[in-house]
Amino acid sequence: MTAQSPPDEAFLYEQLATTISKLIDVGTLKPGDRLPSVRKLSKKRGVSISTVLQAYRHLEDCCLVEARPQSGFYVRPQVRNRPTEPQITAPPLAVTEVEVSDLVMKVLESVADPDVVPLGAAIPSPDLLPTARLNRVLASVARRAGPEINTYLLPQGYDPLRQEIARRALDWGCSLSRDDFIITCGCLQALSLCLRAVARAGDTIAVESPAYFGVLQLIESLHMKTLEIPTSPRDGIDVEALERCIEKEAVTACLVTPNFHNPLGSLMPEAHKKALVDLCARHQVPLIEDDLYGDLYFEPPRPKSLKAYDRDGNVLQCSSFSKTLAPGYRIGWVAPGRFAPEVRRAKLASTISTAAPLQMALAEFLRQGGYDRHLRTLRRAFANNLERMTQAVGEYFPEGTRATRPLGGFVLWVELPERVNALALFREAVKHRISIAPGPIFSSTGQYDQCIRLSGGHSWSDRIEQALQTLGRLAGRKTGGE
Amino acid sequence: MTAQSPPDEAFLYEQLATTISKLIDVGTLKPGDRLPSVRKLSKKRGVSISTVLQAYRHLEDCCLVEARPQSGFYVRPQVRNRPTEPQITAPPLAVTEVEVSDLVMKVLESVADPDVVPLGAAIPSPDLLPTARLNRVLASVARRAGPEINTYLLPQGYDPLRQEIARRALDWGCSLSRDDFIITCGCLQALSLCLRAVARAGDTIAVESPAYFGVLQLIESLHMKTLEIPTSPRDGIDVEALERCIEKEAVTACLVTPNFHNPLGSLMPEAHKKALVDLCARHQVPLIEDDLYGDLYFEPPRPKSLKAYDRDGNVLQCSSFSKTLAPGYRIGWVAPGRFAPEVRRAKLASTISTAAPLQMALAEFLRQGGYDRHLRTLRRAFANNLERMTQAVGEYFPEGTRATRPLGGFVLWVELPERVNALALFREAVKHRISIAPGPIFSSTGQYDQCIRLSGGHSWSDRIEQALQTLGRLAGRKTGGE
C-alpha cells in the first residue's frame, strides 16, 4: 500500500484542475492551445511540480487536455457532435400507484450474465474498487475477532463504523455525531426504513421524474403512491413545482437525490437545496435524502448534503458504500434526524441489525486511511468513462439524440429521437448481448419510453465502445421506421 | 478439527438415548436405579461401546442420569418441585393494532450490557457456537475470493448456499431444490418479505398467543393487525380455534412457529401440522412458517416443517442460521412456494440482495461438513441449560410458579403466581443487573403480565444460578404484597 498524499496537495491539484477546466469551458483556453509548462506554472502558483503534474493528468483523464510527447499539454478538440442536453421533464402531475417491478427484474437478469456488456446496471466494476485490500481487511478482522463478531449488534449498528461515518459527514457540510447514525443493509434499506417511519400504505411520496427504479419499487412494495415532480437534467428537482404540489395535494413525504441523481445525473445548486429544505420544514413534510452518489463529484468541492441545511431534524439523510467501495457488502446508513426513534424501530423490525463482520471490516478499512485517495482515483475514472461515453453517443447515435452532462456519478441519461422506442431497443440490445436500462422503469406514470440510461461503472474498453456503436445502429434503424 | 462421526453412529446413540429416557419417563427405570453396564448393553444391542457411552453421556447432559466413579451410571433423582406446566392460553379473540416496540427496545438495551446476566434475549452464546472455525472460513473465503465477492448478487442469493440449504431441507421432510429458496438478512427479514408479499396495511394476521415480539413489531411496523389465537405450551397453536376465527374474521395470513415456539417452546404434533396446512389451503390463507428453532430438538427425529405437508405452495417456510451458527451474520432464507415472485420483488425492493461475503462463507462452512456434529453438541447444551433452569425455577421461585417443558429450542416460559407483575419484576431485575423478557412484549392484547421468558442460550454457570435465585427472591417479595 502506498502512503496517502497529504490532504493539502490533493486540495491544491484539484483546485488547479478546476481553474484550468473553467478556462477551457469559457473559451479562454481554446482547442489546440498549449498549457503553461509544468515548471512555469509551478513557479507562478507557488505549488510543487508534482501538484501541477497531477492537475494536468487529471485534466487528461477528463479528456480535456492531451499530452504530446516532448512538447507539453494541449487543450483537446471539443467533442464532435456533443449531444444536446435534454429539457426539464414534464411528468403528468398525478398521484400514481406504482408498477415497475416485473420490467426491472428483466433488466437485472440481463445484467447478471457475464457475457453481456453491462451498461444496464449502475454498479461500479469490482476492478475499479480496492476489492483486494478490502478482502485483506475482512480476512484480518475475521482472524483476529473475538466472540463479538458472532452476535447480534444493536439495531443502530457498530459504534466504530458510525464514528467513521460521522467523521466523513464534515465533507458533506454536516456536524453529526456517531449517535446520529443508524447502520443499514445498504442505501435502499435506509430509504425503506425512512419511508416506513414517516408514511404508510396509501400515502403519497413526491419524487423526481424520472426516479431511480429501486425507489419506485420500494414505494410499490409498501403500497404507497408517487407524485412525480418535473426535474431538470442539470439542476435537479423543480422546487417551485414541488411547492405548488405540496400546496395542492396531500404529500406525506419527499424523497430526493440532490447530488448526481440517478438516472439524470443532475446536481441541485446549493440555493435550491436550501429552498427545498426550508419548503419541507415549513410544511412539515419529512424530506428523505438519497445521497448515494454525493462523493462522486468530478470537480471539487464535494456538494453539500441536504442535511447540511437542516435545522429541525426534518431531513433523513441516506447513503451507503455500495457505489464507492463495497457493493457486495450491502452496508449503508441513515441520519434520521427527529425521526430516529421511528427509524430505529423499523430497523429492529426489519432485520434486527446489520451483519457484524462486514461492519467491523468497513470500520477497520476506513480507520486505516486511504479511502479518500481511492475516491479521487474513482472519480477520475468515472469522469473519463462518462466523457468517452458521451463522445460515443455523439458519434454513433442517430441525429436528434440528447444526452445529459453529469458533473458526478457514473450514469448517462440519453433521450433518443421521437420514433425510437426504448423497450424495443432494450429487447434488441439483449439479443446483441448488451444490457441497457430502458426509460420506462424510471417512471410510475409510463414516461420516458424514448429514453435509456447507460452506466459508466465499468472501465472504458473497445468492447464497450463497440456496444455503443451497435446500440447507435439499432436506434438508427428504429428511427428509419423499422 | 476432528473428523465427523459417521451418521449411523450418531443415529444409533440418539435412538438409544431416547429409549432410555422414555424408560425413565414412564418409571420403568426409577431414580437411583443403575443403568446396564456399558459393555453389557453394547453386547445386547449389538452396538459399539462408544455408541453406548455417547448415549449415556447425552443422558447425563440432560440431567437424567449421573455417573458415579467406578460404579456406573445411575438414574438421577427427579427434579424436586418441578413446576407445573402452564395451561393453554386464552387471549381475547380481537383484532388488535400492535404497540410493543418501546418496551422491546428497553429489554434489548438491558441485554446489551455485558455486566448484565443475559436471560432476556434468545441469543445463543458465542462460546456455544463454532465461532473460531466460522471466522477461519470467512478469512479464507475473503483471502481467496475473486471480484465476485464485491458485487451485488441477484435478489435470490448465492447459488452454492441455496444448494446447501436445499440439501438440508430433506431433514425437515421437504424435497426442495436450490431455486425454491431466497436468501435473506436473517429470519426476521424472511418473515417481513412474506408479510409484504401476501398482505398489506390494515390486514389481519393470525398469530400464536403469546407470539415472538419481533413478529409483533414487524406487524406493527407494516401497519397490519394481529389476531392472537389460543396456544398450548405443549402442542402449539389451537388449530380448531384458528379455524373458527378464519371462518368468522377476515384473516389475510397466518404466521405460525410449529417447532419449539418462542416463547412457549411448544411443538405441534405432526397431525396438527397437517391439519393446519390443510385448513389454510382450503381457505386460501397463506401460511407463513417460522421454523427458526426446528433444528434444536432434544430428541430425534427432527420435527417436520409445515412445508413438508404443503401440496400447493401455500406455505412460506422461513428460517435462518442465527440460533444455531451465526447470529452475527444475519443470514436466513425463505422457501416462498407459490408466492416466489412477490417475495423476490419484496427482497429486491428491501435490500436488493444479501451481503455476498457472508453468504459465501456460510456456503463454504456447510460444504466442509461438521455442521450436524455441531448441532448435536449444541442441542445437548441447550437441553442441559433448560433442565438446570427448570430445576432452579422449581427451587427458587415462589409456590404456584408454572414453567413450560420444551422439547427443543432454548427458552423457558414462566408463569408467576397471580400477584407478581412481570414488568415490575423486569425493572427490579435490571436494578440487580439481570435481564429477563417480560410477558407483555409477547402480546398485542396486553396479556401475560404475570409471565416472563428466560433464555437458556448461555452455558450454565454459578452466575446464572445466582441470578435465578435472586429473581425467585424478587418474585417472592412481590407475592408477599410488597
Side-chain angles (χ1 to χ4, degrees):
Chain A
M1 226 168 311
T2 45
Q4 191 172 352
S5 21
D8 286 350
E9 200 196 342
F11 177 73
L12 285 173
Y13 99 71
E14 290 192 337
Q15 206 183 29
L16 194 57
T18 308
T19 309
I20 297 170
S21 104
K22 275 184 191 150
L23 291 175
I24 296 172
D25 222 36
V26 298
T28 308
L29 283 168
K30 293 199 176 51
D33 281 359
R34 189 173 177 279
L35 299 191
S37 85
V38 172
R39 190 170 305 271
K40 205 162 135 191
L41 192 58
S42 144
K43 212 163 180 180
K44 192 173 155 197
R45 303 281 295 216
V47 296
S48 73
I49 297 270
S50 112
T51 298
V52 178
L53 258 177
Q54 270 197 72
Y56 281 10
R57 285 200 185 119
H58 177 76
L59 293 165
E60 199 183 2
D61 285 339
C62 296
C63 300
L64 286 172
V65 308
E66 58 192 3
R68 295 188 194 157
Q70 315 199 315
S71 169
F73 287 84
Y74 289 80
V75 179
R76 279 181 64 147
Q78 293 300 323
V79 177
R80 290 150 299 168
N81 310 322
R82 182 189 273 278
T84 323
E85 278 181 283
Q87 306 275 318
I88 185 167
T89 61
L93 292 173
V95 173
T96 318
E97 304 241 2
V98 189
E99 263 177 72
V100 296
S101 288
D102 289 328
L103 191 49
V104 169
M105 275 308 289
K106 276 190 202 135
V107 175
L108 286 185
E109 277 158 15
S110 82
V111 173
D113 183 342
D115 290 340
V116 164
V117 186
L119 308 175
I123 304 179
S125 162
D127 65 84
L128 290 175
L129 303 175
T131 301
R133 200 189 130 207
L134 196 57
N135 284 348
R136 277 198 304 274
V137 171
L138 175 60
S140 135
V141 163
R143 269 196 319 271
R144 288 185 338 229
E148 80 282 7
I149 198 175
N150 198 17
T151 194
Y152 294 105
L153 296 173
L154 279 178
Q156 55 268 36
Y158 184 59
D159 282 346
L161 179 59
R162 297 160 81 210
Q163 184 70 49
E164 290 293 339
I165 295 168
R167 203 166 290 158
R168 302 196 61 78
L170 290 172
D171 288 354
W172 337 317
C174 295
S175 171
L176 296 166
S177 87
R178 187 182 81 178
D179 296 336
D180 293 317
F181 291 93
I182 295 172
I183 305 294
T184 62
C185 304
C187 186
L188 192 61
Q189 187 185 45
L191 297 172
S192 168
L193 300 179
C194 292
L195 281 173
R196 288 164 66 175
V198 304
R200 46 188 298 172
D203 285 351
T204 298
I205 314 300
V207 297
E208 286 116 337
S209 182
Y212 166 48
F213 61 80
V215 162
L216 297 178
Q217 286 186 297
L218 173 58
I219 293 174
E220 173 184 353
S221 88
L222 296 172
H223 307 288
M224 297 170 186
K225 292 170 187 157
T226 58
L227 177 59
E228 291 185 28
I229 306 295
T231 302
S232 149
R234 191 171 279 197
D235 295 338
I237 194 164
D238 182 334
V239 181
E240 283 174 20
L242 175 66
E243 180 159 20
R244 286 191 297 274
C245 285
I246 287 179
E247 279 163 2
K248 269 199 312 202
E249 308 268 355
V251 171
T252 310
C254 296
L255 196 163
V256 172
T257 306
N259 301 324
F260 318 121
H261 176 265
N262 175 8
L264 285 182
S266 51
L267 171 64
M268 287 181 77
E270 296 300 321
H272 290 209
K273 289 181 189 170
K274 187 173 181 315
L276 174 62
V277 172
D278 290 348
L279 168 68
C280 288
R282 210 160 55 240
H283 291 270
Q284 292 273 301
V285 173
L287 176 54
I288 302 170
E289 169 180 30
D290 178 352
D291 194 24
L292 189 54
Y293 295 89
D295 279 337
L296 294 175
Y297 53 93
F298 298 156
E299 301 291 344
R302 202 281 192 200
K304 283 190 184 167
S305 153
L306 293 177
K307 188 87 188 160
Y309 299 98
D310 184 27
R311 283 191 220 155
D312 50 7
N314 196 49
V315 176
L316 304 93
Q317 195 252 14
C318 302
S319 190
S320 88
F321 297 101
S322 301
K323 304 300 180 190
T324 52
L325 178 60
Y329 279 39
R330 314 297 311 119
I331 304 269
W333 69 81
V334 46
R338 66 185 167 96
F339 302 98
E342 292 84 354
V343 171
R344 199 171 52 223
R345 275 205 294 271
K347 173 66 187 171
L348 182 60
S350 308
T351 55
I352 304 182
S353 58
T354 299
L358 303 182
Q359 291 192 63
M360 293 166 81
L362 274 191
E364 176 59 18
F365 183 95
L366 295 172
R367 193 195 62 76
Q368 290 181 2
Y371 181 51
D372 285 302
R373 186 187 177 79
H374 155 64
L375 283 179
R376 278 197 295 278
T377 314
L378 188 65
R379 287 194 287 262
R380 240 177 292 164
F382 287 153
N384 185 31
N385 293 351
L386 284 193
E387 182 63 28
R388 301 281 197 117
M389 194 166 262
T390 305
Q391 291 185 15
V393 168
E395 191 153 342
Y396 303 127
F397 277 50
E399 178 107 19
T401 298
R402 290 164 179 252
T404 50
R405 293 179 190 172
L407 301 173
F410 55 92
V411 298
L412 206 64
W413 181 248
V414 177
E415 205 175 282
L416 299 157
E418 263 186 32
R419 294 181 55 193
V420 187
N421 179 280
L423 284 175
L425 182 60
F426 164 70
R427 282 188 293 264
E428 277 293 302
V430 168
K431 284 186 206 156
H432 287 78
R433 313 200 75 61
I434 301 166
S435 138
I436 59 174
I441 64 175
F442 299 96
S443 166
S444 52
T445 56
Q447 307 292 299
Y448 312 114
D449 56 7
Q450 278 166 256
C451 297
I452 59 171
R453 186 196 69 183
L454 299 173
S455 163
H458 284 69
S459 299
W460 193 254
S461 65
D462 288 350
R463 184 174 175 238
I464 290 178
E465 172 134 20
Q466 277 157 25
L468 287 165
Q469 198 169 358
T470 306
L471 278 177
R473 187 167 47 79
L474 294 172
R477 230 166 51 191
K478 292 286 160 194
T479 55
E482 180 216 26
Chain B
M1 227 169 308
T2 47
Q4 191 172 355
S5 22
D8 286 350
E9 199 196 342
F11 178 72
L12 285 173
Y13 98 71
E14 289 193 339
Q15 206 182 30
L16 195 57
T18 308
T19 309
I20 298 170
S21 104
K22 275 184 190 151
L23 291 175
I24 295 172
D25 221 36
V26 298
T28 308
L29 283 168
K30 292 196 176 55
D33 282 358
R34 189 175 177 278
L35 297 192
S37 83
V38 172
R39 189 170 305 273
K40 207 162 134 190
L41 191 60
S42 145
K43 213 166 182 180
K44 193 174 155 195
R45 302 282 298 217
V47 298
S48 73
I49 298 269
S50 112
T51 299
V52 178
L53 258 177
Q54 271 198 71
Y56 282 11
R57 284 198 186 120
H58 177 76
L59 293 165
E60 199 184 359
D61 286 338
C62 297
C63 300
L64 287 171
V65 309
E66 58 192 2
R68 296 188 193 158
Q70 314 199 315
S71 169
F73 287 84
Y74 289 80
V75 179
R76 279 180 65 147
Q78 293 301 322
V79 178
R80 287 151 301 166
N81 311 321
R82 183 189 271 279
T84 323
E85 279 182 284
Q87 308 274 319
I88 184 166
T89 61
L93 292 174
V95 173
T96 320
E97 304 242 1
V98 189
E99 263 176 72
V100 297
S101 288
D102 288 329
L103 191 48
V104 169
M105 276 306 290
K106 277 191 200 133
V107 175
L108 287 185
E109 278 159 13
S110 81
V111 174
D113 183 342
D115 290 340
V116 165
V117 187
L119 308 174
I123 304 178
S125 161
D127 65 85
L128 290 175
L129 302 175
T131 302
R133 199 188 130 206
L134 195 58
N135 284 348
R136 278 198 304 273
V137 171
L138 175 60
S140 136
V141 162
R143 270 196 317 271
R144 290 185 338 230
E148 80 281 8
I149 199 175
N150 198 18
T151 192
Y152 294 104
L153 296 173
L154 279 177
Q156 56 266 37
Y158 184 58
D159 282 346
L161 179 59
R162 297 160 80 209
Q163 184 70 49
E164 291 292 339
I165 295 169
R167 204 166 288 159
R168 302 195 60 79
L170 290 173
D171 289 354
W172 337 317
C174 293
S175 172
L176 296 167
S177 84
R178 188 183 81 180
D179 296 336
D180 293 318
F181 292 93
I182 295 172
I183 305 294
T184 61
C185 304
C187 186
L188 192 61
Q189 187 185 44
L191 297 171
S192 169
L193 300 178
C194 291
L195 282 173
R196 288 165 65 175
V198 305
R200 47 188 298 174
D203 285 350
T204 298
I205 314 300
V207 297
E208 287 117 337
S209 181
Y212 166 48
F213 61 80
V215 163
L216 297 179
Q217 286 185 298
L218 173 59
I219 293 174
E220 173 184 353
S221 88
L222 296 172
H223 306 289
M224 297 172 188
K225 292 170 187 158
T226 57
L227 178 59
E228 292 185 28
I229 306 294
T231 302
S232 150
R234 192 172 280 197
D235 296 338
I237 195 165
D238 182 334
V239 181
E240 283 173 21
L242 175 65
E243 180 159 20
R244 286 191 297 275
C245 285
I246 287 180
E247 279 161 4
K248 270 198 310 204
E249 308 269 355
V251 171
T252 309
C254 296
L255 195 163
V256 172
T257 306
N259 300 324
F260 317 120
H261 176 265
N262 175 9
L264 284 182
S266 52
L267 171 64
M268 286 180 78
E270 296 300 321
H272 290 208
K273 289 181 189 169
K274 188 174 179 316
L276 174 62
V277 171
D278 290 348
L279 168 68
C280 287
R282 210 159 55 239
H283 290 271
Q284 292 272 302
V285 174
L287 176 54
I288 303 170
E289 170 181 29
D290 177 352
D291 194 25
L292 187 54
Y293 294 88
D295 280 337
L296 294 175
Y297 53 92
F298 297 156
E299 301 292 343
R302 201 280 193 201
K304 283 191 183 165
S305 153
L306 293 177
K307 187 87 187 160
Y309 299 99
D310 184 26
R311 282 191 221 155
D312 49 6
N314 195 50
V315 176
L316 305 92
Q317 196 251 15
C318 303
S319 190
S320 88
F321 297 101
S322 301
K323 303 301 179 188
T324 52
L325 179 60
Y329 279 39
R330 314 297 310 121
I331 305 269
W333 68 81
V334 47
R338 66 185 167 94
F339 303 98
E342 291 85 352
V343 171
R344 201 171 51 224
R345 274 204 295 272
K347 173 68 187 171
L348 182 60
S350 309
T351 55
I352 304 181
S353 58
T354 299
L358 302 182
Q359 292 193 64
M360 295 167 79
L362 273 191
E364 175 60 16
F365 183 95
L366 295 173
R367 193 194 63 73
Q368 289 181 3
Y371 181 51
D372 285 303
R373 187 188 176 77
H374 155 65
L375 283 179
R376 279 197 294 279
T377 314
L378 188 65
R379 287 194 287 262
R380 240 177 291 164
F382 286 154
N384 184 31
N385 293 350
L386 284 194
E387 182 62 28
R388 300 281 197 118
M389 194 167 261
T390 304
Q391 291 184 16
V393 168
E395 193 152 340
Y396 303 126
F397 276 50
E399 178 109 18
T401 299
R402 291 163 178 253
T404 49
R405 293 179 189 173
L407 301 172
F410 55 91
V411 298
L412 205 65
W413 181 247
V414 177
E415 206 176 280
L416 299 157
E418 262 186 31
R419 296 180 54 195
V420 187
N421 179 278
L423 285 175
L425 182 59
F426 164 71
R427 283 188 291 264
E428 277 292 302
V430 167
K431 284 186 206 157
H432 288 78
R433 313 199 76 61
I434 303 166
S435 136
I436 59 175
I441 64 175
F442 299 96
S443 167
S444 53
T445 57
Q447 306 293 299
Y448 312 114
D449 56 8
Q450 280 166 253
C451 298
I452 59 171
R453 185 194 71 181
L454 298 174
S455 163
H458 283 70
S459 299
W460 193 255
S461 67
D462 288 350
R463 184 175 175 236
I464 290 178
E465 172 136 19
Q466 277 157 24
L468 286 165
Q469 199 169 358
T470 306
L471 278 178
R473 188 165 48 79
L474 294 173
R477 231 167 51 191
K478 292 285 160 192
T479 56
E482 178 215 25

